[in-house]
Amino acid sequence: MDLASTQRATEALGIVCEISNILGTGLDRETLAIIIGLLESGVNPEALATVVKELRREASAVKQAAGTTTAGRTHVPFEPLIGANGMTYVSETLSSEHPQVAIRKIQRRTSMQNPLCEPLLGLVDELGITHADAHRAVLAAAKQALLALISSHQDKAKLERLLNASFHYLGIQELREIPLAVMNTLEMVPPVFLKQLTGDKEIFKELPVKVQRQAWEFDKNLLQQDALPPVGQYKYEVATVMRAMAMDEFLPPLLRGGGGGGADGGDGIGGGGSGTRHLGITRKILRKGSRVLQLLKGMVGSSHKIYTQIVELCVVKFRDAETLYLGARELSYCTLRAQLLMTLHDDSCAVAAKDRCHELAWTLDAGIMHGRLTDKHLAKLEKYFEDVDATERAAAKLSSGSRKRGLQDEAESAGNVSIPLGEPYKVLGDAGTILADPSCMHLLLATCLNVVITAAARRDPAPALPRDVPMARFLLRLLQLAVDTRRMLRERKYRLPEPEPRALHDVLPLLAALAVQHELSPSPGLDGLPPDVKDYGVDKAAVQAALAAIPVSEVSRRLCQIFVLERLMRDDYLSAVRVLRLLAQATASKAMYEAFDFACSLAQRLAELVKARKLGPGNVLWSYAVDNFLVKAVDSHMQVHEEVLRLLLAVAPQLSPQQLGEYLRMTLDNSRKSRKRSGKKRDGDPLADFPMSLMGELSDIGSDGWPGILALKSRSSDSVKSMYVQFKAVRGMDRDAAPELFEYLDEDRKQREAAAAAAAADAEVARAAAAEVAASAAEAAEAEVAAAAAEAGGDDGGDEEAGAGSAGSPGPGGDEEIRDAGPQEMRDAGPQGGEEGAGGGSAAGGDGGAFSPGAGGDG
């Protein structure tokens, strides 16, 4: 409409308003505009006038009734027929009364109770709008008005009353917004409602996040049930796996040299630098990209109680691991515990500051980001544990004396003398869990090795043994705490252990001596190594002591492993072979499970040497590293298995087909358990049922959904089959040279053939069943046709007799009136009754997703 037409319409409406005022009709400008619009639409003017008069009469009656009945109403409104109530009412009414009577009763019962609605529905009929659409529009308008009031209302008592009235409609989709809005507005949802919210997962997913957190705080079991999938999924994230495997991630900065990195203020063997060579991504970026960490952060919000429960879940999963040795999967819970704390720290969340391990995790994370632990970091770590000791001593004094005796007397009087009065130094259990994070362990090992070798190689002041280096002793205590944490958690006895004697007095001195030998007299290259290494250049008793320490001391094993990687980077192959020989002799087959990071890093380092044409199969380094260690370690983790296969692919041109086939046989035999575990991994997304709406807002930079990674891993039953396929392209590889390889690769084909045969058999059974059903249906159809023909023949004679005698016999019980009038009334009232049933009865008797007029009136 153009401007001129709008002006003319406005002027005309103004004239009509003046005439209306002169005549005293009592119609305002808005009402007149509606009436004019209806008239222009073709509504009968007389009918419209009748409707307006009827509305005025009904409004006057309603006002009069409201004025005479103020307090203490005697009228009890009907309960809205919504959901199950409506279904039950419609079913009982139709089954107990005549259909016409039942339909009228249902229509009256489900109509809008306000007297003003009946004439308006008649007007709606004239406009061609169905009753169902009218009821839906009234419901939507009432709902929007109520939601607006709820969002601006602050009266807690009224909101709780409204929640109590609307809560039982939470299962109906169209009404769900009302109780959800009330719960979102309330500061705290009453516990009686929280208890009921935990029963339906679909409804729980739609709850506001603040209400979900209140439900988790209320129900610990629900919190653990919802937090367990992401906690368990963290070990499969790509960044988690790759960081756990990178044992040498902190060696490159140490080997670059530069400003003082020694604990004693000396030059050290390493210098500055930050980051790692494996990922090039800081831990902070990985935290932001981790799907699991962002989900758990969303669960925690600002709730210290939820955070504590999730941390406890991580610690329990780590503590109760069934394996004797700790591998990447078990240690992932330690990584998650540390990374969750630092994720909250990144967002300046107050929950992180309340964690007693916050300072420890922050310092270690800074060291990881920097690539090494500086003197400042080490000083902060020392102060942290000193403060822990001081705090625990003060707490012990407060709990001693008369208070402790009173508690003990109370326990004895209750008949229970075994109630613990507390767990002193329990914070050390949490601290040890953070220290057991593989990245933290790698940092501590690299720093300890750096400190020891620096002290042994210095000239001014004089060289020092490891036992005389205070910082080495402190780092050994931290390493031992990380190793002993699981035992402490199980026994519930916590302490900061002393340095492991064997590592301090037997292993570290030997490693320092080998490193100093290389500094004084560099060892030959790989080509100059002897066929076997038995001479260590030191006292044999020292070698035997170290050999005896490695099987019983995990810290000693870890120090030897990091020393081998450090020596390989320094091209000190002789020292590396000497220590590898000790590891191969002293490491049990089951202990290979915990050597996952060393095996992965060693395979990568050897592959680099092979590609550089420095290393071959006949070398003594290859013999100790591959033949005696790596082929046994393939079962520790699928990533280790992959790296060993890449190493074999790199060296394949230097091996005969029979030799390569033998290596593949050993890797397949030794990796049966890990391949079986990988094959059992659940398909699909384990977090698809996570209850929070936050799921759709997350990236997956560091997760198992990293672009291409998940698709690559799901191509076969386990994640290494694609690597084995590449060996088929090696020259000379056939079934005679590697029968185990081809048998393994044929497993998928056999499974596909078996699945196809089973599917064909099922299809044949289905076709036979369908044919049988079709035959039965044909027989039934023929029988029905025959019966109908017979019935039609009998009805022809009966109709003639009925027509002759109907005029004089009304029939028993006065049914003639119903028989004659019923069909006609049904025909006359059919369309309207159907529409009203659609607007009222069908909504009442539906599946709970639509609503009756009564519901709209109540809204």
Side-chain angles (χ1 to χ4, degrees), residues 240-251 254 278 331 368 371-373 435-449 479 558 561-562 565 594 596-598 601:
T240 305
V241 174
M242 299 309 294
R243 266 287 166 79
M245 296 293 158
M247 191 175 193
D248 57 349
E249 60 181 321
F250 301 109
L251 293 180
L254 294 174
H278 288 270
L331 294 175
I368 292 172
R372 63 191 181 94
L373 286 174
L435 290 171
D437 172 13
S439 286
C440 294
M441 283 289 289
H442 300 160
L443 180 64
L444 294 174
L445 289 167
T447 305
C448 183
L449 189 64
L479 289 169
R558 307 292 281 174
Q561 293 166 3
I562 195 73
L565 298 175
E594 72 176 12
F596 62 93
D597 47 358
F598 171 61
S601 300

Side-chain angles (χ1 to χ4, degrees), residues 36-287:
I36 292 172
L38 293 173
L39 292 173
E40 290 178 347
S41 300
V43 176
N44 189 328
E46 295 181 358
L48 183 59
T50 302
V51 168
V52 172
K53 292 178 181 179
E54 187 67 19
L55 287 174
R56 283 186 171 179
R57 186 182 64 80
E58 295 290 347
S60 176
V62 170
K63 290 181 181 179
Q64 184 177 1
T68 57
T69 59
T70 55
R73 291 184 178 181
T74 58
H75 172 67
V76 179
F78 289 119
E79 182 181 359
L81 299 180
I82 300 176
N85 290 339
M87 295 173 64
T88 302
Y89 177 80
V90 171
S91 176
E92 292 178 352
T93 305
L94 289 174
S95 62
S96 61
E97 301 188 23
H98 190 276
Q100 294 183 29
V101 178
I103 290 175
R104 292 194 187 99
K105 186 174 181 179
I106 293 172
Q107 289 175 344
R108 286 194 303 269
R109 177 68 175 82
T110 59
S111 64
M112 296 184 185
Q113 302 300 314
N114 194 313
L116 295 176
C117 294
E118 185 174 352
L120 287 175
L121 287 174
L123 180 59
V124 164
D125 289 337
E126 291 292 333
L127 297 176
I129 301 174
T130 65
H131 285 194
D133 291 338
H135 284 85
R136 293 190 187 97
V138 171
L139 175 63
K143 187 167 62 174
Q144 290 301 321
L146 185 56
L147 289 174
L149 290 174
I150 291 172
S151 61
S152 61
H153 210 72
Q154 300 298 328
D155 190 331
K156 178 182 176 182
K158 289 184 178 180
L159 288 173
E160 289 184 352
R161 286 199 299 270
L162 178 58
L163 178 60
N164 186 51
S166 62
F167 189 81
H168 57 285
Y169 299 137
L170 194 61
I172 301 175
Q173 185 65 39
E174 289 82 354
L175 294 181
R176 188 173 296 172
E177 290 181 68
I178 302 301
L180 291 182
V182 176
M183 288 188 287
N184 194 36
T185 305
L186 284 170
E187 186 69 24
M188 291 295 298
V189 177
V192 64
F193 299 112
L194 293 176
K195 185 175 182 180
Q196 299 179 59
L197 288 173
T198 61
D200 192 318
K201 280 292 182 184
E202 293 303 319
I203 293 178
F204 190 82
K205 284 184 178 181
E206 297 187 25
L207 292 177
V209 175
K210 61 178 288 187
V211 180
Q212 287 182 334
R213 293 193 184 111
Q214 292 179 39
W216 283 324
E217 290 180 344
F218 175 78
D219 191 341
K220 179 180 178 181
N221 292 331
L222 176 66
L223 172 60
Q224 291 183 349
Q225 177 184 342
D226 290 337
L228 192 58
V231 168
Q233 186 65 16
Y234 187 69
K235 58 178 167 287
Y236 298 114
E237 287 196 351
V238 175
T240 305
V241 174
M242 299 309 294
R243 266 287 166 79
M245 296 293 158
M247 191 175 193
D248 57 349
E249 60 181 321
F250 301 109
L251 293 180
L254 294 174
L255 294 177
R256 278 199 290 268
D264 295 324
D267 293 339
I269 65 169
S274 61
T276 65
R277 71 180 181 90
H278 288 270
L279 294 176
I281 304 175
T282 64
R283 294 236 301 184
K284 185 173 182 179
I285 294 177
L286 292 179
R287 288 194 289 267

